[in-house]
Amino acid sequence: VYWMHELRERVRRPLNSPLIVPVNATSAAVAPEKYWGSYRPHAYFGLKTRSPKSPVFGLMWFTQFLGERPPAVRHWCDHGDGMLRYGWLAHDATNFGVQEIIDRTVTLRTEYLKKPGGDHGGDWTAKISATPVPAPGGETMVVSLLFYAALDGPGSLQPTVEKKRTMTVVSGHTAETGSFKLYFPTPGKNVKATDYLLANATGLNKLKEAVMAGMRMAPWGDDKTKSYIGLGGRLLPDGITSPNLVVHQVTVALPFHMEVIYESGSKTRETTLSGSVYDVELSKQRIIFEKKFESIFELQDKGYNPEDKAAAKNALSNMLGGIGYFYGASKVQSSYNKEPLDYRSAPLYTAVPSRSFFPRGFLWDEGFHNLLIMEWDPEISKEIIGHWLDLINKEGWIPREQILGVEARAKVPDEFVVQKNENANPPTLFLPLQKLVKQLSKSDDPKDLEYLRNIYPRLRIWYRWFNETQAGPKPLTYRWRGRDSNTKRELNPKTLTSGLDDYPRASHPTDAERHVDLRCWMALASGIMADIGKTIGEPWEDYQATHDLLTDNKLLDEHHWSEKAQMYSDFGLHTDHTKLVRPKPPKNLAPGQRPPPQQQMEKERQVKSQPKLSYVNSFGYVSLFPFLLQIVDPNSPKLDKILTDLKDPNLLWTRFGLRSLARNAPLYRKHNTEHDPPYWRGNIWINMNYLAIRALHHYSNTEGPYKTKAKEIYKELRDNVVKNIVNEYKRTGYVWENYDDSTGEGKGTHPFTGWSALFVLIMAEKY
Ligand code: 6A9
């Protein structure tokens, strides 16, 4: 009984090893300069601290008199809002951010600037400016801006309300921030009405609901012939005496701007961060930002024009401005548990792929994110990677998707919440670590050495977990777990764990499968484990030996080179002949039973020929892996073949980048189920294009017969990818999740300044 209990508990037991980011490391006392930030990337504009129960601050807005009931209140980033564009124009991840939001009826500029000091991270000021979007009829809109403060637990918010329902100050206190004051300075001349709300929200995920519930109609203007929507003042339920949500509402004609000033009780100051003091300080910070940007990426020298540079600057700013601080417990499950368990509550400081659609941490995305972040501020990357490695459990597993806290949870449908401990995700954190190790070979920074020493024990266990749980059928082969072998509706069972979701694999998942991408990831991981070991003087020989075996081209070819198709491939029980067809209604119906209507029966997979143990010959990103991760020998004729295939427009080449799956592959652009459109079956993805461009750069700088060929393709692919992303950014206002392989148009979620932002590194040729 005891060991059964232990087995069940294992999945949620944290690894017994010192944390890389100790409990207090992000506190105001230890890291005051990064205490406050835009760490709520899911909100259009939201500020909080890097602490577990931070109070949160943020903005909602809506346009009056549009006749919508209820009004369309903007709060969390949402495709449905139809914003023409939004994103950070400049953001340095530490001191300030400047964002522009172009809504249908109003353009907002939301900025914040910090001034550290005292014991609680110091002060900040937020500035919100609103200007009209030219309307067809020429009438200008009346807009309500709602700035709120909310608690996530114990604490207090005591507002001062003066005449005309104007909230002027909020005195607050929480254990983490100490006491503070939030000022709403006397609003300017375009203010038509002020209102406020003191409410009790049932959680940070219910702020908008609480605000909507607090709205009422009130007479408008001097003649009072129409009414507007204003907040109803003090609306606390019986038995609750103090609010955990306070909102300051101004209803204004445009243009308009306002400041919101946060002052920490523990700081002394001579001047308030306001007016010209604020403006001067912000422009200083912006100049520092510009200079740093130019000195790191040198886009001027690379010949890019100001518009291209702006696109790159905005993409970087959105990667940095998208960094969040989450706190909570994952739901985890092993095969020993019927029901998922709560993992330990833990923090995660991480970037996110997309503020609107997936504003939370994803393991393999994060490795790519940090290739860029590492260039901007290695300390931030080290902390992010540290947080991720601290999430490792006793078994050595890190859950792929991190849904921590009620705000993050609110964005995820139930079926995606539970994380299973059989499931991996590519160990891309090794990519930024590789950069760090390379830098160290030049600098020998003792801080970095110490960091590598701290993370090594956790890396070892993570590496071992992959090696033991994702092993393939033969030595030196690997297999992604988590594929569904009983699938009925999927044309090809998905491999979410690989990150390439519906990319075609063996049609019939079995234990005999071997996956070439995972093998290459493991080759990379072992190489970097060896490099780190050598750098810090820890045993590295075993990692090196594994690396040598996994990169041995002869062995690789034995396991993964398909002679017939002349490409690297997965191997498994496979047939190309599958199809989605609508099932025929059952023939032998019971008396009185009616056949179900045809369209209600979802299409099912039909297998037209017996699957065989064979190579899975679909050319695409997976076939490229030995090249992408630079394992193919520079002298190998196979490299020549890969380069030739890369350039073939009938396969992967487009004017916009490399498509994920060749045009001649059986599943090219095929739906996976009737309702699941193709995702990694043709679209152009930027993380893979980055790896391809990086590999081309490598092979064009390595002696070998195909050096010149690699160089030519390098130039062309780099140009194509950068041009298309920048053009699409100019055309649509967004960086996108992926790009259409026939038109180059941005597709999927937006803004997506996760790995798509890697185009900045491609422009800068930083690999
Ligand atoms: C869906 C719906 C509001 C899919 O970028 C994150 C991941 C990648 O890691 C992966 O490689 N994306 C890629 O194939 C997005 C995954 C989103 C899953 C959750 C929930 C939200 O509804």
Side-chain angles (χ1 to χ4, degrees), residues 42 76 205 325-332 340-348 350-353 357-363 388 391 397-420:
H42 56 286
W76 285 2
N205 52 332
Y325 184 87
F326 304 89
Y327 192 89
S330 285
K331 291 226 172 290
V332 295
L341 302 173
D342 282 338
Y343 196 51
R344 92 185 151 95
S345 281
L348 181 62
T350 186
V352 303
F357 225 63
F358 337 116
R360 53 184 174 276
F362 286 82
L363 180 53
W388 275 95
L391 290 172
W397 169 65
I398 304 178
R400 167 174 47 136
E401 192 174 335
Q402 297 288 336
I403 307 156
L404 310 182
V406 292
E407 289 182 282
R409 178 67 180 82
K411 289 288 243 182
V412 188
D414 288 345
E415 68 263 37
F416 294 108
V417 173
V418 177
Q419 304 293 308
K420 299 215 167 111

Side-chain angles (χ1 to χ4, degrees), residues 353-354 356-358 360 362 364-365 400-401 411-413 416 425 496 498-501 679-680 685 687 737 752 755:
S354 167
S356 54
F357 225 63
F358 337 116
R360 53 184 174 276
F362 286 82
W364 91 302
D365 295 63
R400 167 174 47 136
E401 192 174 335
K411 289 288 243 182
V412 188
F416 294 108
N425 203 205
L496 294 171
S498 73
L500 309 172
D501 298 20
Y679 198 32
W680 294 82
W685 291 80
N687 57 339
E737 185 180 14
F752 187 102
W755 57 47

